[in-house]
Structures are given as structure tokens and as C-alpha cells.
Amino acid sequence: MGEDGPVTSPRTAPRLIATDLDGTLLCSGGTVSDRTAAALAAAEAAGVQVVFVTGRPPRWMQQVSPHIGGHGVAICSNGGAIVDVRRGGELIEYFPMSAPTSLAVVEALRAKLPGTAFAFEYADGWAREPGYEVLMWGDDEVRAVGPAEELLADGGPVRGLFKLLAKHPDLDPDTFLAEARTAAGHLAEITRSAPISLLEISAPGITKASTLARWCAEHGIDRAEVVAFGDMPNDLEMLAWAGTAYAVANAHPQVLAAVPLHTVSNEEDGVAAVLERLIADSGR
């Protein structure tokens, strides 16, 4: 037993590994270490399916495509989309939020939290409001820029919206989340995964857990056969659903408190440490 708790084996032999990416599987800079790559390959070789379950949009999945396994499938945008990573992030299925619901969320957050700006992930790409500052991977793939009312209007560019993003320039991230849930939590699923004041909003009932459960049901996998890994509030539903769940040592305090099994940090290959033990214990 180490300072981060024991690495224990699930009571049922695992058939599926569901892991978050940023802050969990990936090292800083979004890279996959050699040890982690080897552990993922060993799991797949042993017949244990690995599914990435991430808040990332489909367009940010190419760098992990060599490690996705034979199925090539990832659950993106906090459950909002299922994509084929091997085919350039091609959408297999997505779960849209209606334009009226999206606008209602926008209006509620603007009223309670002035200064909030919005962006939109949808079937054909992404769009943003002028006040939504882009910090990662530049702005070269944005399809449209304008106020939410125009982007979401009938005939507007945003159709098949599966993730709404809300950013605030000043609020503490956890405060932003709590206030947003008070204002609009009855309209949609609101969570966060970034270290900045950035919220990720999905259609009612759509979370990492809901889409993972759907995937597992379609493939005859019971939740008791699932081992999940995560680090941020957007992972909580998935970690609660899975038969066995681990938080990495660098996880958000709320996640560390909610998940009894811990492994070492992402920088120390915490997911790989558990996978190596699980595969060895299974005798595969």
C-alpha cells in the first residue's frame, strides 16, 4: 500500500477500461508516456477493451489515435458524441441539445453571471461568441463567430449542438460551477474539467456515465466489469457508475473524496500502474 492507497483488483475480471484523458491518462502537454502506451496495448491484447471517455471534442482526438485499440471508438464531449478516432473523428452518434434549451441556458447564465461568453460544439464543427477567448489549439477551426442568438437561430450555423461551453473572465472555477448549476441546472447537465472558469454543458441526462452505459449495454458488458479512471468533476458520474473506479492522486478534491480507490498521479503513470496490476492478477 502506498501513500495514495492500495491498488486492488475488482471482484469481477474487467472487460472494459474507461479512462479520462487530460489530467488522468495523459501527461502534461497531452502526451502518452511509453509506459502508459504499453499498458494500454497489453490490456487490449488481453481482451480488455479500452475506451477513452473525455471532455475533449472530436477534433482534439488525433494525437491519441495510435492508442485507441482496434475498435477505434472514443466517447467525447462528456458523453455528447461517440466518434471513430481512426476515421478522423467521424461522428458515429451524438446527443443534441435543442436550440430552445440552449438559449434558455445562455439567458439564465447571462442573467445570474454577467460577463459569461459562450461557444458551441456541434455536428459540423464549432462556433463562438466574440467575447469567448480561445486559449487552446488556436481559432483556425472555428466555423462562425457571432452572438448566441444568431448562431442558434433557425437557419443559423449551429445545428446538432452536443456541447455548450461557458467561460467567465473573473470567477473562481468552482464558484462558477456552483452558481451556474443554481441558475440553469434544471435545464441541462453542467460540469467542468479545466483549471480555468470554463463550464461544459450537455443536454439533460447526457453525461460520461450515460453514454458509457449505453455503449456497454450495446456490447453486452455489465457495469461490474468496467474499471474507470478520472480526475475532475465531469468524471464523477462515470466513476460512480463503474463497478470499480480510481481517482488519480492529482484529482480535484471533490473527486478524491468521492472515490475510495486512488492511484498515483497522471505524471507518474497512475492508470498504467493499475492496468499492469489488473492484467497480472487476471492471468491473461
Side-chain angles (χ1 to χ4, degrees):
M1 180 185 298
E3 63 179 5
D4 295 298
V7 175
T8 60
S9 299
R11 283 173 284 184
T12 301
R15 292 181 59 199
L16 186 142
I17 303 300
T19 181
D20 173 55
L21 291 176
D22 297 285
T24 299
L25 184 80
L26 305 182
C27 300
S28 58
T31 59
V32 178
S33 73
D34 290 343
R35 181 185 180 186
T36 294
L40 294 174
E44 291 278 357
V48 180
Q49 188 177 124
V50 178
V51 175
F52 298 151
V53 189
T54 177
R56 287 187 177 207
R59 66 184 185 279
W60 288 359
M61 294 299 294
Q62 290 310 302
Q63 70 189 108
V64 297
S65 62
H67 312 285
I68 194 70
H71 55 85
V73 169
I75 296 171
C76 293
S77 300
N78 293 329
I82 302 174
V83 304
D84 188 330
V85 177
R86 294 281 174 81
R87 300 181 68 173
E90 177 183 305
L91 283 175
I92 297 172
E93 188 173 13
Y94 63 94
F95 307 98
M97 186 187 312
S98 71
T101 296
S102 305
L103 284 170
V105 172
V106 168
E107 291 168 359
L109 295 187
R110 278 184 183 158
K112 187 172 183 66
L113 302 161
T116 302
F118 298 91
F120 312 87
E121 294 177 11
Y122 57 105
D124 290 332
W126 80 289
R128 65 174 178 84
E129 292 192 306
Y132 186 96
E133 183 182 5
V134 179
L135 299 177
M136 294 181 66
W137 281 280
D139 203 20
D140 55 327
E141 293 183 354
V142 69
R143 295 293 182 90
V145 179
E149 291 78 5
E150 292 182 6
L151 296 173
L152 293 169
D154 288 342
V158 177
R159 300 179 184 180
L161 175 70
F162 51 77
K163 187 176 179 184
L164 173 64
L165 299 163
K167 186 180 289 186
H168 197 280
D170 304 314
L171 286 174
D172 167 79
D174 287 326
T175 300
F176 190 26
L177 175 59
E179 293 290 323
R181 284 177 168 170
T182 298
H186 61 293
L187 297 170
E189 303 294 335
I190 306 176
T191 190
R192 60 171 288 253
S193 64
I196 61 174
S197 293
L198 174 64
L199 303 181
E200 303 163 48
I201 305 167
S202 304
I206 300 302
T207 65
K208 287 187 175 187
S210 68
T211 304
L212 177 61
R214 183 186 182 100
W215 171 265
C216 288
E218 290 173 352
H219 291 80
I221 298 172
D222 189 88
R223 62 190 291 183
E225 300 172 305
V226 176
V227 180
F229 298 86
D231 74 309
M232 287 296 281
N234 66 326
D235 295 313
L236 283 169
E237 292 88 355
M238 175 178 73
L239 296 172
W241 179 83
T244 305
Y246 291 85
V248 288
N250 54 289
H252 188 283
Q254 185 180 358
V255 177
L256 291 171
V259 180
L261 296 178
H262 299 169
T263 183
V264 294
S265 74
N266 64 319
E267 297 292 353
E268 300 172 277
D269 298 313
V271 174
V274 176
L275 293 187
E276 291 162 356
R277 177 68 175 272
L278 293 181
I279 298 303
D281 286 352
S282 72
R284 296 179 180 177

